[in-house]
């Protein structure tokens, strides 16, 4: 059968399994990336595997999330990560060098390769023809150790792009349009592959904006072909020799195809509090705003900043608006310094932040009480900005700058003719904040600050699970609900006992007390439980509090994998109506769990002792995942050496 681009790359990297959808495949991983908020755990996990060097073609450790340094934790973690990288053969991107996905696209991504990253927006590199997948830190640690990455063979969803975007409309509007159509779980179990004439009208950073926010669809990945535009981009990064042409076969068969006519796309935005809550900008135009933030791995490229700088040239930001800008990388920053665009931004009244995730993950710039904040970011989950009462709208850089000028949500097409943007033939790449691994690794001593606590491990699964429903939540609960980030909590990422104190803080401040008092228990979830980030802390911290199983209507891919990796059973209601027959505080029991799993029973029975009823749940675990759950998680499983995973 003629293959899609995704299938071609998977076939080239297949270690075990076949391309048959729904079955488990094991893939060889060429490159990995980690970032500091997930990276310290990934390093501890890699250490536990006992190797003396990474086995990938390339592994890069970025510091971009925790750069606020309000006390010593973050800087201590940076030192740990830097010395760890030097010792184990990993390149190190120092704080200030930029957001991992932007820097990786510029300096490292290679068409046709596989990239596994401990961040859900790793598919950004799909804009350059990479099969890039986000995963929990432990899966990335295993890949760094040369182990395969296992996933259920996804469906391949074709997105045919026709035509060309009109002035003031950009890639962000395209992906918001798709999110509006498909919703935040519309991509679960799918890889989105873009093709068609319209692809040729999009630059690599524009493609990367689209693949980046495929994560918000819940997609496993998103990918564009590698063509002459990809080659031009790689040449501008002095990497043309690594380019190769890649596309799907002419007659490739997709599971489903959606057509998007780029000519018809209008400025779009996502309203609070979900990236899927999409409408046209015109529908809310005129709403007074307080803050505009430009940046994040979605929209912080040279092109994104230049459209803003050119539009602001000779003008002033509205007095009621605080405009903050974080360039995506040092390269972008240096480029706008060199061509004078930074001057235009500063003169117009923009506040310039460092090249990092910053406000996107609540690290500073929390808006005022009840604020309306427009952000070019990818997530507007409740409370993520640091201000629970704030209303966050996700927009394109064009809509952001138009609104910053007028002080109200503004359709950028009102601004008249759009300024031309010329991308440099060659970018600046001093790489002064990028460090190669040590030449004499034996001499490198790993520096561990007091914030880095040992990695907790789970016990093997009990045969008898008994406990209380500690919390019942609705559909689309995000990992930001489960394990919030932000300036107060993010610095504790290397310290599971400390960070566990904040589990479900924004949903129910009593949750942790209850979990401790009851010695753990169960959580009941709705659809798409655990959507959003790859943070394995959303599994590790509940595990630390004694959570035994989550029973939900359905799960988001990465979070489900993280639960399994730490020995928490992800169970789905066989009949979703049973969700209504279980309440917080109910005592539930599952008996003979080990035996039933060992016998490959796909169903388990849950006894609700409080309500006096029983209902069935399914686990959908492959044989390998059953072994992992029985062992109490992936590290236990690997260490027992029941099967050679590395
Ligand atoms: C996010 O955007 O939510 C993050 C912070 O980048 C996370 C990773 C993390 O929580 O460390 C992600 O997207 O995976
Ligand atoms: Fe950083 Fe935000 Fe991108 Fe996550 S989504 S990697 S926090 S910029």
């Amino acid at each position: 059968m003629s293959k899609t681009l995704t299938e071609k790359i998977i076939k080239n990297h297949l270690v075990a399994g076949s391309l048959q959808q729904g079955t488990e495949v094991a893939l060889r991983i060429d490159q990995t990336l980690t970032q500091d908020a997930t990276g310290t755990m990934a390093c501890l996990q890699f250490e536990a595997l006992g190797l003396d060097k990474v086995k990938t073609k390339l592994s890069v450790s970025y510091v971009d999330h925790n750069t606020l340094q309000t006390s010593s934790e973050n800087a201590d973690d940076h030192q740990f990560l830097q010395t760890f990288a030097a010792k184990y053969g990993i390149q190190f991107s120092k704080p200030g060098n930029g957001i991992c996905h932007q820097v990786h696209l510029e300096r490292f991504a290679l068409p046709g390769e596989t990239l596994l990253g401990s961040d859900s927006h790793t598919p950004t590199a799909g804009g350059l023809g990479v099969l890039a997948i986000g995963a929990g830190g432990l899966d990335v640690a295993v890949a760094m150790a040369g182990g395969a990455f296992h996933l259920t063979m996804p469906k391949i969803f074709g997105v045919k792009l026709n035509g060309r975007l009109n002035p003031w409309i950009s890639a962000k509007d395209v992906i918001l349009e798709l999110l509006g159509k498909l919703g935040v779980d519309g991509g679960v179990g799918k890889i989105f592959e873009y093709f068609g004439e319209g692809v040729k009208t999009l630059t690599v950073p524009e493609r990367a904006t689209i693949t980046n926010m495929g994560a918000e669809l819940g997609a496993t990945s998103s990918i564009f072909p590698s063509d002459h535009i990809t080659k031009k981009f790689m040449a501008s990064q002095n990497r043309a020799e690594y380019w190769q042409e890649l596309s799907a076969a002419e007659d490739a068969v997709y599971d489903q195809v959606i057509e998007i006519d780029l000519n018809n796309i209008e400025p779009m935005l996502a309203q609070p509090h979900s990236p899927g809550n999409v409408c046209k900008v015109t529908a809310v135009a005129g709403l007074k705003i307080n803050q505009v933030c430009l940046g994040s791995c979605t929209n912080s490229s040279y092109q994104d900043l230049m459209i803003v700088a050119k539009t602001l040239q000779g003008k002033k930001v509205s007095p009621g608006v605080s405009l903050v800008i974080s360039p995506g990388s040092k390269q972008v920053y240096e480029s706008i310094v060199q061509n004078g665009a930074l001057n235009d931004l500063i003169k117009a009244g923009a506040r310039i932040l460092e090249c990092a995730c910053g406000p996107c993950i609540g690290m500073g710039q929390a808006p005022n009480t009840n604020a309306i904040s427009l952000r070019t970011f990818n997530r507007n989950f409740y409370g993520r900005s640091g201000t629970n009462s704030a209303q966050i709208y996700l927009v394109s850089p064009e809509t952001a700058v138009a609104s910053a000028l007028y002080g109200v949500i503004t359709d950028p097409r009102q601004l008249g003719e759009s300024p031309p943007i010329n991308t440099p033939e060659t970018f600046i790449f001093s790489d002064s904040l990028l460090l190669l691994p040590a030449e004499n690794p034996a001499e490198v001593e790993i520096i561990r600050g007091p914030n880095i606590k040992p990695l907790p491990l789970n016990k093997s699964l009990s045969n008898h699970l008994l406990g209380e429903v500690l919390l019942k939540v609705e559909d689309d609960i995000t990992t930001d609900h489960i394990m919030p980030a932000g300036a107060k909590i993010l610095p504790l990422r290397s310290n599971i006992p400390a960070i566990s104190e904040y589990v479900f803080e924004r949903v129910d401040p009593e949750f942790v007390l209850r979990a401790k008092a009851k010695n753990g228990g169960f959580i009941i979830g709705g659809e798409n439980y655990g959507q959003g980030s790859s943070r394995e802390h959303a599994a590790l911290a509940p595990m630390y509090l004694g959570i035994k199983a989550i029973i939900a209507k359905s799960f988001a891919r990465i979070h489900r994998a993280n639960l399994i990796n730490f020995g928490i059973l992800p169970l789905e209601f066989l009949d979703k109506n049973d969700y209504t027959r279980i309440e917080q505080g109910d005592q539930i029991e599952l008996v003979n769990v080990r035996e039933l799993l060992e016998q490959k029973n796909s169903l388990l029975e849950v006894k609700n002792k409080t309500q006096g009823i029983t209902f069935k749940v399914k686990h959908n675990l492959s044989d390998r995942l059953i072994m992992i759950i029985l062992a109490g998680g992936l590290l236990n499983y690997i260490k027992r050496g029941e099967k050679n995973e590395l």
Side-chain angles (χ1 to χ4, degrees):
M1 198 178 77
S2 301
K3 295 205 163 34
T4 61
L5 173 55
T6 309
E7 288 167 328
K8 287 185 188 178
I9 303 179
I10 291 185
K11 185 163 175 281
N12 282 342
H13 291 83
L14 209 57
V15 176
S18 73
L19 297 185
Q20 202 192 331
Q21 270 162 24
T23 60
E24 198 175 64
V25 286
L27 300 182
R28 182 167 41 79
I29 296 300
D30 299 314
Q31 299 190 347
T32 63
L33 73 77
T34 48
Q35 42 89 340
D36 51 330
T38 55
T40 49
M41 280 296 135
C43 287
L44 296 178
Q45 288 151 353
F46 178 81
E47 241 177 359
L49 296 173
L51 278 81
D52 56 8
K53 195 176 186 304
V54 292
K55 292 225 175 124
T56 46
K57 289 189 192 166
L58 173 89
S59 288
V60 190
S61 167
Y62 292 92
V63 177
D64 54 0
H65 283 63
N66 265 322
T67 59
L68 217 46
Q69 297 173 224
T70 46
S71 51
S72 58
E73 290 91 349
N74 293 342
D76 283 354
D77 284 1
H78 302 169
Q79 258 188 338
F80 168 72
L81 291 167
Q82 181 167 342
T83 49
F84 191 94
K87 192 167 187 73
Y88 287 106
I90 300 166
Q91 295 214 29
F92 185 67
S93 175
K94 290 175 76 176
N97 197 40
I99 305 173
C100 54
H101 308 303
Q102 176 68 25
V103 177
H104 210 83
L105 193 74
E106 291 167 359
R107 308 303 299 134
F108 298 112
L110 295 179
E113 295 222 322
T114 50
L115 166 70
L116 194 71
S118 62
D119 191 281
S120 64
H121 290 103
T122 302
T124 311
L128 203 129
V130 181
L131 181 61
I133 301 178
L138 180 50
D139 282 329
V140 177
V142 170
M144 293 196 306
F149 175 63
H150 294 78
L151 91 160
T152 309
M153 181 65 197
K155 292 191 169 148
I156 317 291
F157 195 114
V159 186
K160 185 168 185 213
L161 299 180
N162 303 316
R164 173 184 288 277
L165 291 169
N166 286 313
W168 295 111
I169 318 289
S170 67
K172 181 64 156 283
D173 301 308
V174 178
I175 188 66
L176 285 173
E177 167 85 17
L178 208 52
L179 269 156
K181 281 199 162 82
L182 304 177
V184 289
D185 58 358
V188 178
K190 296 170 190 158
I191 290 186
F192 284 65
E193 192 171 309
Y194 291 81
F195 67 103
E197 285 301 301
V199 165
K200 295 184 192 144
T201 68
L202 299 174
T203 63
V204 167
E206 285 173 321
R207 296 174 184 183
T209 294
I210 294 175
T211 56
N212 171 283
M213 267 190 96
E216 276 50 66
L217 290 164
T220 302
S221 190
S222 302
I223 190 166
F224 273 81
S226 169
D227 56 11
H228 66 283
I229 292 170
T230 321
K231 186 178 184 183
K232 195 166 163 231
F233 177 82
M234 291 183 73
S236 74
Q237 297 289 343
N238 206 14
R239 302 199 294 122
E241 79 250 44
Y242 300 110
W243 174 77
Q244 57 166 317
E245 187 159 21
L246 289 171
S247 60
E250 284 284 326
D251 53 350
V253 183
Y254 294 97
D255 292 295
Q256 203 178 335
V257 174
I258 187 169
E259 282 204 40
I260 293 188
D261 197 336
L262 297 177
N263 301 296
N264 294 338
I265 301 284
E266 293 193 36
M268 307 297 283
L269 54 72
Q271 305 177 83
H273 295 288
S274 167
N277 194 7
V278 173
C279 73
K280 288 184 182 164
V281 168
T282 48
V284 283
L287 196 65
K288 194 171 168 315
I289 60 169
N290 307 92
Q291 186 190 46
V292 174
C293 300
L294 202 108
S296 91
C297 54
T298 313
N299 279 123
S300 58
S301 66
Y302 174 83
Q303 201 174 333
D304 290 330
L305 264 62
M306 284 308 294
I307 184 85
V308 173
K310 292 247 177 171
T311 308
L312 287 178
Q313 218 167 38
K315 301 195 178 96
K316 278 208 167 62
V317 170
S318 168
V321 175
S322 173
L323 170 66
V324 293
I325 299 180
S326 340
S329 68
K330 188 167 86 71
Q331 179 184 87
V332 171
Y333 205 1
E334 283 186 87
S335 305
I336 60 167
V337 169
Q338 201 179 52
N339 70 9
L342 180 66
N343 210 17
D344 295 328
L345 296 172
I346 295 173
K347 267 198 176 150
R351 301 165 65 182
I352 310 298
L353 306 179
E354 73 169 326
C355 309
C357 300
C360 176
I361 190 60
M363 297 301 273
Q365 302 299 324
N368 58 277
T369 307
N370 298 328
I372 298 211
S373 173
L374 261 56
R375 299 174 163 216
T376 65
F377 307 166
N378 46 43
R379 289 184 174 147
N380 57 348
F381 301 144
Y382 171 75
R384 183 171 157 110
S385 68
T387 305
N388 288 350
S389 65
Q391 305 284 312
I392 311 295
Y393 290 74
L394 305 175
V395 297
S396 69
E398 290 78 359
T399 301
V401 66
S403 308
L405 281 172
Y406 288 100
V408 293
I409 295 184
T410 304
D411 183 336
R413 291 171 297 187
Q414 254 177 255
L415 294 172
E417 214 169 301
S418 76
I421 309 295
N422 297 319
T423 308
E425 290 291 315
T426 316
F427 276 100
I428 309 163
F429 33 86
S430 65
D431 290 345
S432 54
L433 291 175
L434 209 50
L435 305 182
L436 291 173
E439 279 174 14
N440 302 314
E443 286 164 20
V444 179
E445 189 203 334
I446 296 176
I447 305 175
R448 269 167 238 267
N451 188 40
I452 298 182
K453 294 282 183 275
L455 181 75
L457 287 179
N458 209 344
K459 295 197 226 41
S460 52
L461 184 77
S462 309
N463 201 28
H464 182 206
L465 304 182
L466 175 70
E468 187 172 308
V469 173
L470 296 170
L471 188 70
K472 180 176 174 182
V473 289
E474 299 141 28
D475 292 350
D476 294 323
I477 282 295
T478 71
T479 53
D480 280 69
H481 290 101
I482 306 169
M483 187 72 263
K488 186 175 76 175
I489 306 175
L490 211 56
L492 304 174
R493 284 289 183 95
S494 312
N495 184 342
I496 299 301
I499 206 168
S500 297
E501 296 293 325
Y502 298 95
V503 174
F504 280 118
E505 195 198 34
R506 284 190 201 124
V507 176
D508 180 348
E510 304 293 308
F511 174 81
V512 173
L513 282 177
R514 213 161 45 239
K516 285 183 178 169
K518 307 281 173 180
N519 214 359
F522 300 86
I523 293 166
I524 305 299
E527 301 280 6
N528 202 21
Y529 180 85
Q531 69 155 325
S533 84
S534 69
R535 66 190 69 149
E536 58 192 356
H537 301 74
L540 253 171
M543 175 206 96
Y544 186 78
L545 295 173
I547 302 303
K548 301 167 178 42
I550 317 276
I551 307 176
K553 291 185 187 168
S554 64
F555 289 89
R557 174 187 65 87
I558 308 180
H559 186 58
R560 178 174 178 275
N562 286 338
L563 290 171
I564 298 166
N565 279 352
F566 295 101
I568 299 179
L569 257 175
L571 301 171
E572 289 181 28
F573 291 101
L574 186 61
D575 176 355
K576 290 185 181 179
N577 293 318
D578 287 332
Y579 173 84
T580 57
R581 305 204 302 153
I582 187 160
E583 294 306 330
Q584 190 173 309
D586 287 357
Q587 277 290 326
I588 59 174
E589 183 177 36
L590 287 93
V591 294
N592 296 336
V593 185
R594 287 193 73 88
E595 281 156 41
L596 291 166
L597 287 176
E598 273 159 9
Q599 291 157 9
K600 315 261 159 68
N601 262 305
S602 57
L603 298 181
L604 300 175
E605 194 168 73
V606 179
K607 189 168 183 186
N608 185 335
K609 296 176 88 162
T610 309
Q611 315 267 354
I613 51 167
T614 57
F615 60 90
K616 293 244 167 23
V617 290
K618 54 185 176 173
H619 57 72
N620 300 327
L621 297 169
S622 66
D623 292 354
R624 176 178 164 274
L625 294 179
I626 288 179
M627 303 284 283
I628 291 174
I629 277 284
L630 290 174
L634 182 58
L635 266 184
N636 292 344
Y637 172 69
I638 293 176
K639 280 164 114 185
R640 281 182 204 169
E642 285 166 34
K643 187 168 166 266
N644 193 7
E645 285 269 314
L646 299 180

